[in-house]
Amino acid sequence: MRALVVDRSAESRLALAEVPDPEPAPYEALVRVEAISLNYGETFMVSTGQLPDGTVPGWDATGVVVRAAADGSGPAVGTRVVTLGMTGAWAELRAVPTATIGTVPEGADGGAISTIPVAALTALHVLRRFGQTLGRRIMITGASGGVGRFAVQLAVRAGAEVVAVSADPAQVAVLEALGAHEVVKHPAEVSRPVHGVLDNVEGEQMVAAFGALAAGGSLVSVGHSANQDVVFPVGSFIPVDGRHDRSISTFFLLADPHADVSADLTWLAGEVAAGRLDPGITWRGDWTRHHEATATLLGRRLRGKAVLEVS
Ligand SMILES: NC(=O)c1ccc[n+]([C@@H]2O[C@H](COP(=O)([O-])OP(=O)(O)OC[C@H]3O[C@@H](n4cnc5c(N)ncnc54)[C@H](OP(=O)(O)O)[C@@H]3O)[C@@H](O)[C@H]2O)c1
C-alpha cells in the first residue's frame, strides 16, 4: 500500500512511499482509508522529528471496512467507518481497534466526518466533565481551533452560555455564527465568572481563565497551544469574592476506561452528516499535497481543520 511515512531527511519530514500492508490484531478491523484529518499535535510530532523513520503517523481517518476483526467485534465488511488510533491513519489501509471505530451514515461526506475523532471527541468528553451545563457559563480558550470549534458548538447544544476566546479579530463573527454568546480576545476580558473552562492554550491564558472561575467551578487543561509556562501569581488560590472550591484537572483522550468511544464517534458522525455540527474545514486537497497542508497548519495560517483525500 501507499502511505505517508516519516522520513526525517525530507524537508517536511514526510514522504509518500510504498510500505507493507498492516497486519490487523484479532481485535482490529482493516479499513481502506478515504480521508484523513490533520491535528496540530501529530503534525508537530512529525515535524520535530519525534517519530522514528518509517512510522506511518496519523490519528484520524474515515474509510470502508475491508476485513472485519477476527474476534467478531466491530463492523462488518463494507461498512463506512470513522476511526481513531495513535498511529497509522495516513495510509491507504489502516488496522484499527474496533473499540475506536464508529459508523458513518450513508451518503455522508467522509472528509467532513474525518475531522471528528480527536477534535470532536475531546470536546465532547471534556464538556461532560462539567456536568449539567444548562444555563451555566462555559469558557473555551483556543476556540477557533479544531477542538475549540467543536467545543463551542457542543456547549451551546448542551444549553451553556458560551464564552469563546480567540486572539484573532477575524474569528469574532465566525464564533458568534457557531453560537458563542460572548467572544473575547483574552480570558481576563470576560464579563462575568464562568462555571467551567476548557483550556486549549495554557500559559498566561490558562492563569487568567482560572481567575475567571466562579465558586465550585473547574478548569480542564486539554492543550498547550501557547507553548508557554503556566505561572500562577502568589495568592491565586485564595478565594476572591467568595469564589472558593475552584479546581484544575488534566485530560487525555483515550485514558477514560469507561468512555464508549465507538458510540460517541457514531453519534458525532451523525451530527456532522446531518449538518448540526460544522467541522470548519479550511483546507482540503489530495494527500499528494501533504507538504502544503502540514506547512499551513504548522505555520498557524489555518483556523479549523485540514483534510487530505486519499486518491
Ligand atoms: N489532552 C488531549 O487528549 C488532547 C486532545 C486534543 C488536542 N489536544 C491539544 O489541545 C490543543 C488544541 O488542539 P487543536 O487541534 O484544537 O489545535 P489548533 O487547531 O492548532 O487550535 C489551537 C488554537 O489555540 C489558539 N492559540 C492561542 N495562543 C496560541 C499560540 N501562541 N499559538 C498557537 N495557537 C494559539 C489559536 O486560536 P486564536 O489564535 O484564534 O486565539 C488556535 O486556533 C493542542 O495543544 C493539542 O495538542 C490535547
Side-chain angles (χ1 to χ4, degrees):
M1 68 166 182
R2 285 180 309 157
L4 287 172
V5 296
V6 173
D7 174 357
R8 287 182 288 188
S9 67
E11 195 188 331
S12 67
R13 311 281 178 121
L14 277 175
L16 193 54
E18 195 66 37
V19 297
D21 291 356
E23 265 309 315
Y27 54 87
E28 291 180 326
L30 190 66
V31 173
R32 180 166 297 284
V33 174
E34 172 189 349
I36 296 159
S37 164
L38 303 181
N39 294 283
Y40 186 85
E42 68 206 325
T43 314
F44 180 78
M45 284 173 78
V46 170
S47 73
T48 49
Q50 294 181 45
L51 302 177
D53 280 338
T55 306
V56 179
W59 298 336
D60 299 347
T62 48
V64 177
V65 175
V66 290
R67 197 190 312 165
D71 68 3
S73 65
V77 169
T79 309
R80 279 189 84 204
V81 290
V82 53
T83 67
L84 168 66
M86 297 302 286
T87 56
W90 299 357
E92 285 176 327
L93 290 170
R94 174 181 215 189
V96 60
T98 54
T100 55
I101 293 179
T103 56
V104 173
E106 255 333 285
D109 172 4
I113 308 283
S114 74
T115 62
I116 288 172
V118 168
L121 209 55
T122 294
L124 179 65
H125 288 185
V126 173
L127 290 171
R128 283 180 180 157
R129 287 203 185 173
F130 298 130
Q132 178 57 264
T133 52
L134 187 63
R136 286 179 155 162
R137 282 164 67 74
I138 299 292
M139 178 189 285
I140 318 286
T141 65
S144 65
V147 175
R149 282 183 59 100
F150 280 120
V152 167
Q153 296 173 79
L154 290 170
V156 170
R157 291 275 298 274
E161 188 175 305
V162 175
V163 181
V165 183
S166 171
D168 179 3
Q171 292 298 315
V172 174
V174 176
L175 293 164
E176 284 175 350
L178 294 179
H181 300 82
E182 187 176 339
V183 183
V184 292
K185 284 199 203 65
H186 192 276
E189 296 172 10
V190 68
S191 61
R192 287 183 291 119
V194 298
H195 167 74
V197 175
L198 185 163
D199 178 45
N200 287 305
V201 175
E202 276 194 353
E204 47 95 23
Q205 285 209 27
M206 178 173 160
V207 174
F210 179 79
L213 282 177
S218 58
L219 180 152
V220 182
S221 173
V222 173
H224 45 267
S225 294
N227 193 28
Q228 191 184 65
D229 288 345
V230 183
V231 183
F232 283 94
V234 172
S236 295
F237 304 116
I238 294 170
V240 180
D241 306 330
R243 291 189 284 128
H244 49 79
D245 289 339
R246 294 171 291 163
S247 64
I248 297 176
S249 62
T250 57
F251 172 85
F252 181 59
L253 185 64
L254 293 181
D256 179 356
H258 306 295
D260 188 340
V261 171
S262 289
D264 290 338
L265 287 173
T266 300
W267 179 72
L268 289 163
E271 295 305 294
V272 170
R276 289 188 289 267
L277 206 50
D278 174 2
I281 297 169
T282 46
W283 194 100
R284 187 166 181 161
D286 191 84
W287 71 334
T288 51
R289 292 170 59 201
H290 60 92
H291 299 286
E292 194 184 320
T294 54
T296 309
L297 183 63
L298 293 170
R300 298 292 191 189
R301 298 188 300 279
L302 185 137
R303 296 286 196 292
K305 298 297 291 179
V307 169
L308 297 176
E309 285 155 352
V310 178
S311 50

